[in-house]
Amino acid sequence: MNETTPRLLRALSGETLERPPIWFMRQAGRSLPEYHELRTRAADFISFCHNPEMAAEATLQPVRRFPLDAAIVFADILLIPRALGQEVWFEAGEGPRLGAMPEIARMAGEVEASTGRLSSIGETLARVRSELEPERALIGFAGGPWTVATYMIEGRGSDRSAARTFAYEHPETLDALLDVLVDATARYLVMQARSGAQALKIFESWAEGLAEDVFERIVIRPHRAIVEQVRAAGVTAPFIGFPRGAGALVENYARSVPVEGVALDTQASAELGRRLQAGGKTIQGALDNLLLRAGGAALDARVEGLLAQWSGGPYIFNLGHGVIPDTPIAHIARVVERVTGKPVKAMAAE
Ligand code: CP3
């Protein structure tokens, strides 16, 4: 670590900084007009993700507009099931749809080949890294195995009750599926790190509603296995784990998964964050994405509150979940200016 080390990596190494690094989950795309313009040029969302030139452009758009401390590669958590042989497509305005799940043994046989089918994401990372200023970090990511499994089982985004029922009725099958996803995800993350990702994030977006023993089995155990496999391959990039909705179980997670950073959702208390910091974790979060969209005095007050409650330890400023597509750009700009102390250039295309 030295003065040119990206602020995000300094925070993830456990440093308490005079101001935290800032980036936003789901910053690449959706809320920016220049993204929507670019999006019209791709036949569909999946081909957009697999086009390194376009995906690199979408990754860089938010960091051109705002003085953010990190870029996150433009991709999706559902590229893994697709690389394992399950059909994935996006219905306009509705979200993801998946075809019938292939036999698990069959997908297990595709794990090695799946990483090669995702090589375009590595090309995107390499392109972005060569264009990004050295003081800004590049983040690679994958979905948490349980979250990805919920989409694979249910065939779409939903309330996850069918996936949870599956977890209870077919525990061996679910464990076998999670094992396949752990192996494919670990290889994918190794490839991302070797292609230029300097930090790796695991999005476990649907970690809510799980009993403690189930959470241990289907979230903690697979995450630990991913980190261990990636480390065994010689990759030293820090991890950020995001068990969204885990509530008090986030402390079990922090104790048992060897990630450097833990991303907290909207409900995380000041105390909880400080306990994690005292336990050696860097924390990230937890601004409500709806408050970012709403703006006004309540947003300003919450930003001050977050900075006051967590800046005494290693902290990364972020949301508790992704940016909502119709979030006013002026609200994002205001938060970035406050946290970084840097002005955001006015842009024509609002
Ligand atoms: O952070 C970033 O902006 C980088 C890119 C990124 C995308 N998806 C691009 C995307 C990341 C990190 C993701 C993660 C992801 N994808 C998650 C976990 C994070 C979370 O928000 O919980 C999940 C659950 C998905 C699955 C997914 N992809 C859904 C449910 C949808 C449809 C609804 C939506 O959020 O837009 C997507 C589509 C998607 N992924 C879009 C983008 C930019 C919109 C697609 C479009 O432009 O048509």
Side-chain angles (χ1 to χ4, degrees), residues 25-28 30 35 39 45 72-78 90 95-96 141 151 203 205 321:
M25 279 189 257
R26 311 295 300 269
Q27 68 189 24
R30 306 207 299 172
Y35 167 76
R39 175 80 172 75
F45 177 64
I72 180 161
V73 67
F74 187 87
D76 198 82
I77 66 166
L78 299 177
F90 285 80
F141 75 91
Y151 287 95
F203 282 89
S205 300
H321 200 190

CSV table of all heavy atoms in Angstrom, one decimal, residues 25-28 30 35 39 45 72-78 90 95-96 141 151 203 205 321, ligand 1:
chain,number,residue,atom,x,y,z
A,25,MET,N,-23.5,0.4,-5.8
A,25,MET,CA,-23.9,-0.9,-6.4
A,25,MET,C,-24.9,-0.6,-7.6
A,25,MET,O,-25.7,0.3,-7.5
A,25,MET,CB,-24.7,-1.7,-5.4
A,25,MET,CG,-23.8,-2.4,-4.5
A,25,MET,SD,-24.8,-3.6,-3.5
A,25,MET,CE,-24.9,-2.6,-2.0
A,26,ARG,N,-24.7,-1.3,-8.7
A,26,ARG,CA,-25.4,-1.1,-9.9
A,26,ARG,C,-25.3,0.3,-10.5
A,26,ARG,O,-26.2,0.8,-11.2
A,26,ARG,CB,-26.9,-1.4,-9.7
A,26,ARG,CG,-27.2,-2.7,-9.0
A,26,ARG,CD,-26.8,-4.0,-9.7
A,26,ARG,NE,-27.5,-4.1,-11.0
A,26,ARG,CZ,-28.6,-4.8,-11.2
A,26,ARG,NH1,-29.2,-5.3,-10.2
A,26,ARG,NH2,-29.1,-4.9,-12.4
A,27,GLN,N,-24.1,0.8,-10.4
A,27,GLN,CA,-23.8,2.2,-10.9
A,27,GLN,C,-23.7,2.1,-12.4
A,27,GLN,O,-23.9,3.1,-13.1
A,27,GLN,CB,-22.5,2.8,-10.3
A,27,GLN,CG,-21.2,2.1,-10.7
A,27,GLN,CD,-20.0,2.6,-9.9
A,27,GLN,OE1,-20.2,3.1,-8.8
A,27,GLN,NE2,-18.8,2.4,-10.5
A,28,ALA,N,-23.3,0.9,-13.0
A,28,ALA,CA,-23.0,0.8,-14.4
A,28,ALA,C,-24.4,0.5,-15.1
A,28,ALA,O,-24.9,-0.6,-15.0
A,28,ALA,CB,-22.0,-0.3,-14.7
A,30,ARG,N,-28.5,1.5,-16.4
A,30,ARG,CA,-29.8,1.7,-15.8
A,30,ARG,C,-30.1,3.2,-15.5
A,30,ARG,O,-31.1,3.7,-16.0
A,30,ARG,CB,-30.0,0.9,-14.6
A,30,ARG,CG,-29.7,-0.6,-14.8
A,30,ARG,CD,-30.5,-1.5,-13.9
A,30,ARG,NE,-30.2,-1.3,-12.5
A,30,ARG,CZ,-30.9,-1.8,-11.5
A,30,ARG,NH1,-31.9,-2.6,-11.8
A,30,ARG,NH2,-30.5,-1.5,-10.3
A,35,TYR,N,-26.1,5.3,-20.9
A,35,TYR,CA,-26.3,3.8,-20.9
A,35,TYR,C,-27.5,3.4,-21.8
A,35,TYR,O,-27.3,2.5,-22.6
A,35,TYR,CB,-26.5,3.3,-19.5
A,35,TYR,CG,-26.9,1.8,-19.5
A,35,TYR,CD1,-26.0,0.8,-19.8
A,35,TYR,CD2,-28.2,1.5,-19.3
A,35,TYR,CE1,-26.4,-0.5,-19.9
A,35,TYR,CE2,-28.7,0.2,-19.3
A,35,TYR,CZ,-27.7,-0.8,-19.6
A,35,TYR,OH,-28.2,-2.1,-19.7
A,39,ARG,N,-27.3,1.0,-24.9
A,39,ARG,CA,-28.1,-0.2,-24.8
A,39,ARG,C,-28.9,-0.5,-26.1
A,39,ARG,O,-29.1,-1.6,-26.5
A,39,ARG,CB,-29.1,-0.1,-23.6
A,39,ARG,CG,-30.1,-1.2,-23.4
A,39,ARG,CD,-29.4,-2.4,-22.8
A,39,ARG,NE,-30.4,-3.4,-22.4
A,39,ARG,CZ,-31.1,-4.2,-23.3
A,39,ARG,NH1,-30.8,-4.1,-24.6
A,39,ARG,NH2,-32.0,-5.1,-22.9
A,45,PHE,N,-29.7,-7.9,-23.9
A,45,PHE,CA,-28.8,-7.6,-22.8
A,45,PHE,C,-27.7,-8.6,-22.7
A,45,PHE,O,-26.5,-8.2,-22.3
A,45,PHE,CB,-29.7,-7.7,-21.5
A,45,PHE,CG,-28.9,-7.4,-20.2
A,45,PHE,CD1,-28.3,-6.3,-20.0
A,45,PHE,CD2,-28.8,-8.5,-19.3
A,45,PHE,CE1,-27.5,-6.1,-18.8
A,45,PHE,CE2,-28.1,-8.3,-18.1
A,45,PHE,CZ,-27.4,-7.1,-17.9
A,72,ILE,N,-17.3,-0.9,-11.5
A,72,ILE,CA,-17.6,-2.3,-11.4
A,72,ILE,C,-17.9,-2.8,-12.8
A,72,ILE,O,-18.6,-2.1,-13.5
A,72,ILE,CB,-18.8,-2.6,-10.4
A,72,ILE,CG1,-19.1,-4.1,-10.3
A,72,ILE,CG2,-20.0,-1.7,-10.8
A,72,ILE,CD1,-20.0,-4.5,-9.1
A,73,VAL,N,-17.4,-4.0,-13.1
A,73,VAL,CA,-17.5,-4.5,-14.5
A,73,VAL,C,-19.0,-4.7,-14.9
A,73,VAL,O,-19.8,-5.1,-14.1
A,73,VAL,CB,-16.7,-5.8,-14.7
A,73,VAL,CG1,-17.3,-6.9,-13.9
A,73,VAL,CG2,-16.6,-6.1,-16.2
A,74,PHE,N,-19.3,-4.3,-16.1
A,74,PHE,CA,-20.7,-4.5,-16.6
A,74,PHE,C,-20.8,-5.9,-17.0
A,74,PHE,O,-20.2,-6.4,-18.0
A,74,PHE,CB,-20.9,-3.5,-17.7
A,74,PHE,CG,-22.4,-3.6,-18.2
A,74,PHE,CD1,-23.3,-2.7,-17.5
A,74,PHE,CD2,-22.8,-4.4,-19.1
A,74,PHE,CE1,-24.6,-2.8,-17.9
A,74,PHE,CE2,-24.1,-4.5,-19.5
A,74,PHE,CZ,-25.0,-3.7,-18.9
A,75,ALA,N,-21.6,-6.6,-16.2
A,75,ALA,CA,-21.9,-8.0,-16.5
A,75,ALA,C,-23.2,-8.4,-15.8
A,75,ALA,O,-23.9,-7.5,-15.3
A,75,ALA,CB,-20.7,-8.9,-16.1
A,76,ASP,N,-23.5,-9.7,-15.5
A,76,ASP,CA,-24.6,-10.0,-14.7
A,76,ASP,C,-24.4,-11.3,-14.0
A,76,ASP,O,-23.6,-12.2,-14.5
A,76,ASP,CB,-25.9,-10.1,-15.6
A,76,ASP,CG,-27.2,-10.1,-14.8
A,76,ASP,OD1,-27.6,-9.0,-14.4
A,76,ASP,OD2,-27.7,-11.1,-14.4
A,77,ILE,N,-25.1,-11.5,-12.9
A,77,ILE,CA,-24.9,-12.7,-12.1
A,77,ILE,C,-25.4,-14.0,-12.9
A,77,ILE,O,-25.1,-15.1,-12.5
A,77,ILE,CB,-25.5,-12.6,-10.7
A,77,ILE,CG1,-27.1,-12.5,-10.8
A,77,ILE,CG2,-25.0,-11.5,-9.9
A,77,ILE,CD1,-27.7,-12.8,-9.4
A,78,LEU,N,-26.3,-13.7,-13.8
A,78,LEU,CA,-26.9,-14.9,-14.5
A,78,LEU,C,-26.1,-15.4,-15.7
A,78,LEU,O,-26.6,-16.2,-16.5
A,78,LEU,CB,-28.4,-14.5,-14.9
A,78,LEU,CG,-29.3,-14.2,-13.7
A,78,LEU,CD1,-30.7,-13.8,-14.1
A,78,LEU,CD2,-29.3,-15.4,-12.7
A,90,PHE,N,-33.7,-12.0,-21.1
A,90,PHE,CA,-34.4,-11.0,-20.3
A,90,PHE,C,-35.6,-10.5,-21.1
A,90,PHE,O,-35.5,-10.1,-22.2
A,90,PHE,CB,-33.4,-9.8,-20.1
A,90,PHE,CG,-32.3,-10.2,-19.1
A,90,PHE,CD1,-31.3,-11.0,-19.4
A,90,PHE,CD2,-32.5,-9.7,-17.8
A,90,PHE,CE1,-30.3,-11.3,-18.4
A,90,PHE,CE2,-31.6,-10.0,-16.8
A,90,PHE,CZ,-30.5,-10.8,-17.1
A,95,GLY,N,-37.6,-8.5,-16.5
A,95,GLY,CA,-36.5,-9.1,-15.8
A,95,GLY,C,-36.1,-10.4,-16.4
A,95,GLY,O,-36.5,-10.8,-17.5
A,96,PRO,N,-35.3,-11.2,-15.7
A,96,PRO,CA,-34.7,-12.4,-16.2
A,96,PRO,C,-35.7,-13.6,-16.3
A,96,PRO,O,-36.6,-13.7,-15.5
A,96,PRO,CB,-33.6,-12.8,-15.2
A,96,PRO,CG,-33.9,-12.0,-14.0
A,96,PRO,CD,-34.7,-10.9,-14.3
A,141,PHE,N,-17.1,-9.3,-10.1
A,141,PHE,CA,-18.2,-9.8,-9.2
A,141,PHE,C,-18.7,-11.1,-9.8
A,141,PHE,O,-18.6,-11.4,-11.0
A,141,PHE,CB,-19.3,-8.8,-9.0
A,141,PHE,CG,-20.2,-8.6,-10.2
A,141,PHE,CD1,-21.4,-9.4,-10.3
A,141,PHE,CD2,-20.0,-7.7,-11.2
A,141,PHE,CE1,-22.2,-9.3,-11.4
A,141,PHE,CE2,-20.8,-7.5,-12.3
A,141,PHE,CZ,-22.0,-8.3,-12.4
A,151,TYR,N,-32.7,-18.4,-9.0
A,151,TYR,CA,-33.1,-18.1,-10.3
A,151,TYR,C,-33.1,-19.3,-11.2
A,151,TYR,O,-34.0,-19.5,-12.0
A,151,TYR,CB,-32.2,-17.0,-11.0
A,151,TYR,CG,-32.4,-15.6,-10.5
A,151,TYR,CD1,-31.6,-15.1,-9.4
A,151,TYR,CD2,-33.4,-14.8,-10.9
A,151,TYR,CE1,-31.8,-13.8,-8.9
A,151,TYR,CE2,-33.6,-13.5,-10.4
A,151,TYR,CZ,-32.8,-13.0,-9.4
A,151,TYR,OH,-33.0,-11.8,-8.9
A,203,PHE,N,-22.3,-11.1,-4.8
A,203,PHE,CA,-23.7,-10.5,-4.5
A,203,PHE,C,-24.6,-11.7,-4.1
A,203,PHE,O,-25.1,-12.4,-4.9
A,203,PHE,CB,-24.3,-9.9,-5.8
A,203,PHE,CG,-23.7,-8.6,-6.1
A,203,PHE,CD1,-22.6,-8.4,-6.9
A,203,PHE,CD2,-24.4,-7.4,-5.7
A,203,PHE,CE1,-22.1,-7.2,-7.3
A,203,PHE,CE2,-23.9,-6.2,-6.1
A,203,PHE,CZ,-22.8,-6.0,-6.8
A,205,SER,N,-27.8,-11.6,-3.1
A,205,SER,CA,-28.9,-10.6,-2.9
A,205,SER,C,-30.1,-11.2,-2.2
A,205,SER,O,-30.9,-10.4,-1.7
A,205,SER,CB,-29.4,-10.2,-4.3
A,205,SER,OG,-28.3,-9.6,-5.0
A,321,HIS,N,-28.5,-1.4,-1.4
A,321,HIS,CA,-28.8,-2.2,-2.6
A,321,HIS,C,-28.6,-1.4,-3.8
A,321,HIS,O,-28.1,-0.2,-3.7
A,321,HIS,CB,-30.3,-2.7,-2.5
A,321,HIS,CG,-30.5,-3.9,-3.3
A,321,HIS,ND1,-31.8,-4.4,-3.5
A,321,HIS,CD2,-29.7,-4.7,-4.0
A,321,HIS,CE1,-31.7,-5.5,-4.3
A,321,HIS,NE2,-30.5,-5.7,-4.7
B,1,CP3,O1,-23.2,-2.7,-10.7
B,1,CP3,C1,-23.4,-2.6,-11.9
B,1,CP3,O2,-24.0,-1.7,-12.5
B,1,CP3,C2,-22.6,-3.6,-12.8
B,1,CP3,C3,-23.5,-4.5,-13.5
B,1,CP3,C4,-24.5,-5.4,-12.8
B,1,CP3,C5,-25.7,-5.8,-13.5
B,1,CP3,N1,-26.3,-6.8,-12.7
B,1,CP3,C6,-26.1,-5.3,-14.8
B,1,CP3,C7,-27.6,-5.3,-15.1
B,1,CP3,C8,-24.5,-6.1,-11.6
B,1,CP3,C9,-23.5,-6.1,-10.5
B,1,CP3,C10,-25.6,-7.0,-11.6
B,1,CP3,C11,-25.9,-7.9,-10.5
B,1,CP3,C12,-27.2,-8.6,-10.4
B,1,CP3,N2,-28.0,-9.1,-11.5
B,1,CP3,C13,-27.9,-9.0,-9.2
B,1,CP3,C14,-27.3,-8.8,-7.9
B,1,CP3,C15,-27.4,-7.4,-7.4
B,1,CP3,C16,-28.8,-6.9,-7.0
B,1,CP3,O3,-29.2,-5.9,-7.5
B,1,CP3,O4,-29.4,-7.6,-6.2
B,1,CP3,C17,-29.1,-9.6,-9.6
B,1,CP3,C18,-30.1,-10.2,-8.7
B,1,CP3,C19,-29.1,-9.7,-11.0
B,1,CP3,C20,-30.1,-10.3,-11.9
B,1,CP3,C21,-30.8,-9.3,-12.8
B,1,CP3,N3,-30.2,-8.7,-13.9
B,1,CP3,C22,-32.1,-8.8,-12.7
B,1,CP3,C23,-33.1,-9.2,-11.6
B,1,CP3,C24,-32.3,-7.9,-13.7
B,1,CP3,C25,-33.6,-7.2,-14.2
B,1,CP3,C26,-34.0,-6.1,-13.3
B,1,CP3,C27,-32.9,-5.0,-13.2
B,1,CP3,O5,-32.3,-4.9,-12.1
B,1,CP3,O6,-32.7,-4.3,-14.1
B,1,CP3,C28,-31.1,-7.8,-14.4
B,1,CP3,C29,-30.8,-7.0,-15.6
B,1,CP3,C30,-29.7,-6.1,-15.5
B,1,CP3,N4,-28.4,-6.4,-15.0
B,1,CP3,C31,-29.6,-4.8,-16.1
B,1,CP3,C32,-28.3,-4.3,-15.9
B,1,CP3,C33,-27.7,-3.0,-16.3
B,1,CP3,C34,-30.7,-4.1,-16.9
B,1,CP3,C35,-30.8,-4.7,-18.2
B,1,CP3,C36,-31.2,-3.8,-19.3
B,1,CP3,O7,-30.5,-2.8,-19.5
B,1,CP3,O8,-32.1,-4.2,-20.1
